[in-house]
């Protein structure tokens, strides 16, 4: 295995720069872009996801593991599940690597623990209907809160060259809508059972018809003609 000295120098500088207490991943992406450092992908750009993958990969500390990444769904397995395969020339010391891992873990906990200004019921559950990207909670100086498509952010954050044309989603309205529908669905389990039977193909037979008749009265208050989130989710699979 040959070590590319130029790329190794960039990686070592990334670890050293990020280890500083005042530096963040977004700032590192901006610095690399301004310094015209080519990203791993030829037509891509530096972003937080790419940087986190580099800064958490133990191969740069000289250790190769198998089974570290689960492909579907994508996630990094716990370290105790990794299988040590080989050692390679290290670009950073183990001490530097451990310091960066500690900082990344602390920043994740800090971001979630201190987001107390606004509580979003559907945090990490809303996606944009225009481009499909995840929506983020955003509070405006006016006091109103919205779910905002990540595609409306800068290219370093959205990984898109053009901004999404989608509108802001009023957080309070959609939170109230989903919470009300969820409470109603939970109080009428017959509707859920009937929807599951339809999803599994048990429709049209005598048993399903009898059950549909029994739960039709309970389903009316839930699906009262409005296109609610819970309604679409339940009947989408039918």
């Amino acid at each position: 295995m040959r070590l590319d000295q130029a790329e190794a120098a960039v990686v070592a500088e990334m670890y050293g720069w990020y280890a500083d207490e005042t530096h963040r991943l977004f700032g590192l992406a901006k610095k690399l872009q301004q310094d015209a450092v080519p990203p791993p992908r030829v037509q891509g750009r530096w972003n937080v996801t790419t940087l986190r993958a580099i800064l958490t990969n133990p191969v740069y500390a000289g250790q190769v593991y198998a089974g570290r990444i689960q492909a579907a769904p994508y996630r990094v397995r716990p370290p105790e599940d990794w299988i040590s395969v080989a050692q390679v020339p290290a670009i950073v010391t183990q001490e530097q690597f451990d310091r960066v891992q500690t900082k990344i873990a602390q920043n994740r906990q800090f971001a979630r623990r201190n987001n107390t200004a606004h509580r979003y019921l559907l945090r990490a559950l809303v996606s944009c209907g225009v481009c499909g990207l995840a929506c983020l909670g955003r509070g405006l100086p006016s006091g109103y809160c919205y779910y905002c498509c990540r595609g409306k952010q800068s290219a370093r954050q959205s990984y898109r060259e053009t901004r999404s044309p989608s509108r802001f989603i009023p957080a309070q309205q959609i939170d109230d809508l989903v919470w009300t529908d969820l409470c109603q669905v939970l109080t009428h389990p017959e509707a859920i059972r009937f929807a599951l039977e339809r999803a599994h193909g048990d429709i049209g037979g005598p048993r399903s018809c009898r059950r549909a008749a029994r739960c039709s009265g309970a389903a009316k208050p839930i699906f009262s003609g409005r296109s609610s989130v819970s309604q679409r989710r339940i009947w989408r699979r039918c």
Side-chain angles (χ1 to χ4, degrees):
M1 178 179 293
R2 297 182 58 185
L3 184 64
D4 188 309
Q5 297 297 331
E7 293 184 359
V10 172
V11 171
E13 183 180 358
M14 289 167 54
Y15 272 84
W17 193 89
Y18 180 74
D20 188 289
E21 294 183 358
T22 61
H23 294 160
R24 298 291 181 266
L25 288 176
F26 180 75
L28 178 55
K30 184 177 181 180
K31 179 180 183 300
L32 292 170
Q33 203 71 30
Q34 291 176 343
D35 293 345
V37 177
R41 295 182 180 180
V42 177
Q43 296 182 345
R45 62 171 53 242
W46 289 105
N47 55 64
V48 171
T49 302
T50 301
L51 292 174
R52 186 180 290 110
I54 294 175
L55 294 175
T56 57
N57 194 335
V59 71
Y60 298 112
Q63 186 65 53
V64 179
Y65 291 95
R68 194 175 71 90
I69 302 296
Q70 176 179 297
Y74 180 87
R75 71 181 183 93
V76 179
R77 293 190 175 97
E80 56 269 19
D81 295 341
W82 302 353
I83 302 173
S84 180
V85 175
Q87 290 186 340
V88 295
I91 297 177
V92 299
T93 65
Q94 188 63 46
E95 180 183 359
Q96 288 177 307
F97 183 80
D98 292 340
R99 186 164 63 249
V100 168
Q101 306 318 299
T102 300
K103 181 178 179 180
I104 290 177
Q106 289 176 345
N107 286 345
R108 284 179 173 176
Q109 295 176 359
F110 181 83
R112 181 173 294 273
R113 183 178 65 250
N114 288 276
N115 184 23
T116 57
H118 306 286
R119 295 187 179 275
Y120 298 93
L121 176 66
L122 303 178
R123 178 175 181 175
L125 296 176
V126 180
S127 59
C128 177
V130 177
C131 63
L133 290 177
C135 290
L136 309 174
R138 180 176 179 180
L140 300 184
S142 61
Y144 292 100
C145 297
Y146 298 89
Y147 292 105
C148 174
C149 175
R150 186 161 57 87
K152 302 184 78 67
Q153 296 179 314
S154 66
R156 282 190 296 272
Q157 295 171 298
S158 66
Y159 320 145
R160 302 288 180 91
E161 294 297 330
T162 58
R163 292 181 182 269
S164 172
S166 62
R167 298 182 178 180
F168 287 9
I169 306 172
Q172 189 62 51
Q173 294 182 26
I174 192 172
D175 285 356
D176 291 344
L177 175 64
V178 172
W179 181 254
T180 300
D181 283 357
L182 179 61
C183 291
Q184 292 180 342
V185 168
L186 292 177
T187 57
H188 297 87
E190 298 85 357
I192 301 178
R193 184 184 303 113
F194 179 60
L196 291 175
E197 287 181 355
R198 293 190 61 182
H200 287 83
D202 183 23
I203 291 300
R207 184 177 63 177
S208 62
C209 291
R210 287 195 299 271
R211 290 185 178 178
R214 287 198 302 269
C215 71
S216 60
K220 288 180 181 179
I222 303 174
F223 310 127
S224 55
R226 65 182 182 182
S227 180
S228 64
V229 176
S230 60
Q231 177 181 353
R232 291 196 297 271
R233 287 182 176 175
I234 289 177
W235 293 101
R236 185 184 301 165
R237 299 177 62 119
C238 301

